[in-house]
Each structure stands twice: as structure tokens, then as C-alpha cells.
Amino acid sequence: MTATATTTSSASSTRGWWLKTLHRWHWMSAAVSLAALLVFSATGITLNHAAQIEATPRVDTRTDTLPESVLRSLSGDYTEGAPLPASVVDWLATEMNVLAKGRSAEWADDEVYVSLPRPGGDAWVAIDRATGELEYEQTSRGVIAWLNDLHKGRNTGAAWRWFIDLFAVACLLFALTGLWLLHMHSRQRGKTWPMVGLGVALPALLIILFMH
């Protein structure tokens, strides 16, 4: 076998390895990000037309009174932002299905107030420190608002924010491996780079011409 033939065979083997590897990573990143990509694409549309999508908030208000044994834990001095005592948190979770663990509270001499924002709505609980009377209000803005907040990572907690980061990495991997595959096939597909150039130029022109 001549040196030229050996070099050609080696180059072909290397190209084959890269194609196989890139295809593997391309389909794996697509599979991992598919469901989230569909949701984020759909909510991109709903967010873009949020003013045209009307929603009627549903407000649920409940009142109750803390038992004396639990109320005693609210006496004394608390620094601003300190969470509710464990006994109050446990009572709220058990009796009212209100999850206030770890939430910072606003403390006044006569009242403690806890804001409980969540995706697609808001909530709060206010407790009279002298009598134990409490009021809980929950507002829900519907499924679309909930999905929009998931898209933005609004009031979703650390786990969902980490998921968004991992999803973004998967999308980057999907795009970069796709670009590399385009490069490797571009000799056989003459429209490859004009189409890629159009994909870059179109949003750039829109930004330059219409965003001021």
C-alpha cells in the first residue's frame, strides 16, 4: 500500500469516527432536551403574546386560629427575615397545607407576615401574634401563567433553576454538534453555509433595523 493510500485510509477512518461520535452526541442531546425544548418553545410564544392572552386570577382566602401551644412560639424577639418557628410551620403544613418552611418572614410587634410566591400565582399568610388569628390568601393565574413562570424560572426553587442550566447545556451541545455535522457534510450540500448565514443574518437585521 502506498503512503498516499495509507494517508487517505487514515483520514477516512478519522472522519468516520468523528461522524459516528457527533451523531451519537447529537441524538443524545436531542433526546434529553426534546420535552423541555417543546415546552420552552411553546411558552416563548405565550410570553411574546402575554398581553393578548387574558387570564382571570382565582383567589382563595382562608382564616383560622393557631392553638395556644403553637402561638406561644411567636412570642419574644425575632430578627427581620427570620423564618417562622418550626411548630408554626408544622401546624400550617398539617392543618392548612401551607408550606412555609425556610421562608423569610416580616416581623412586626403585632403581626408576622410571610410571602409565599409560586409559579403561576402568589400566596401569603399573616398571623396576629397576640391572638393567633391568621389569614391565608392564594392566587392562581392559570396553567399558561404557570408554564410562563417555569420558562422564566420565577419562584421555582433551586432544583428547577439547576434543571434549566442543564437543559441549556444540552441545547448548546445539540446546536454545536449540529453545526459540526453541517461542516462535515457541507462539501456535499452546497446550500449549507448560505442557510446558516441566513439564520445568523435574519435576527441580526431585525435587531439593527427594528429595535431602537
Side-chain angles (χ1 to χ4, degrees), residues 76-84 103-108 112-113 129:
D77 295 328
Y78 286 89
T79 59
E80 186 63 24
L84 292 173
R103 301 277 189 162
S104 60
E106 300 176 20
W107 294 87
V112 57
Y113 173 90
R129 298 179 68 180

Side-chain angles (χ1 to χ4, degrees), residues 1-162:
M1 182 179 293
T2 65
T4 301
T6 301
T7 301
T8 302
S9 177
S10 177
S12 177
S13 177
T14 300
R15 174 182 169 82
W17 183 87
W18 275 112
L19 280 172
K20 184 178 181 180
T21 301
L22 288 170
H23 275 110
R24 181 185 298 114
W25 282 102
H26 192 63
W27 78 257
M28 287 174 63
S29 59
V32 168
S33 61
L34 175 62
L37 187 60
L38 290 172
V39 172
F40 275 72
S41 297
T43 52
I45 296 173
T46 58
L47 282 169
N48 198 40
H49 296 276
Q52 290 79 42
I53 301 175
E54 296 184 0
T56 302
R58 187 178 73 252
V59 180
D60 175 31
T61 302
R62 286 180 281 162
T63 58
D64 209 324
T65 303
L66 291 178
E68 184 64 30
S69 58
V70 177
L71 177 61
R72 282 196 293 269
S73 64
L74 292 179
S75 62
D77 295 328
Y78 286 89
T79 59
E80 186 63 24
L84 292 173
S87 59
V88 178
V89 170
D90 292 341
W91 188 90
L92 288 172
T94 302
E95 301 298 328
M96 302 189 69
N97 196 30
V98 175
L99 304 180
K101 184 177 180 178
R103 301 277 189 162
S104 60
E106 300 176 20
W107 294 87
D109 292 339
D110 60 340
E111 183 184 70
V112 57
Y113 173 90
V114 183
S115 179
L116 303 167
R118 59 193 184 87
D122 293 292
W124 54 265
V125 61
I127 306 173
D128 188 305
R129 298 179 68 180
T131 65
E133 295 179 354
L134 67 86
E135 181 177 5
Y136 171 70
E137 182 178 286
Q138 176 180 281
T139 302
S140 176
R141 298 186 179 89
V143 175
I144 292 179
W146 180 73
L147 290 171
N148 287 345
D149 282 349
L150 292 184
H151 183 112
K152 295 181 289 186
R154 177 179 178 268
N155 302 319
T156 53
W160 183 258
R161 289 195 296 271
W162 274 106

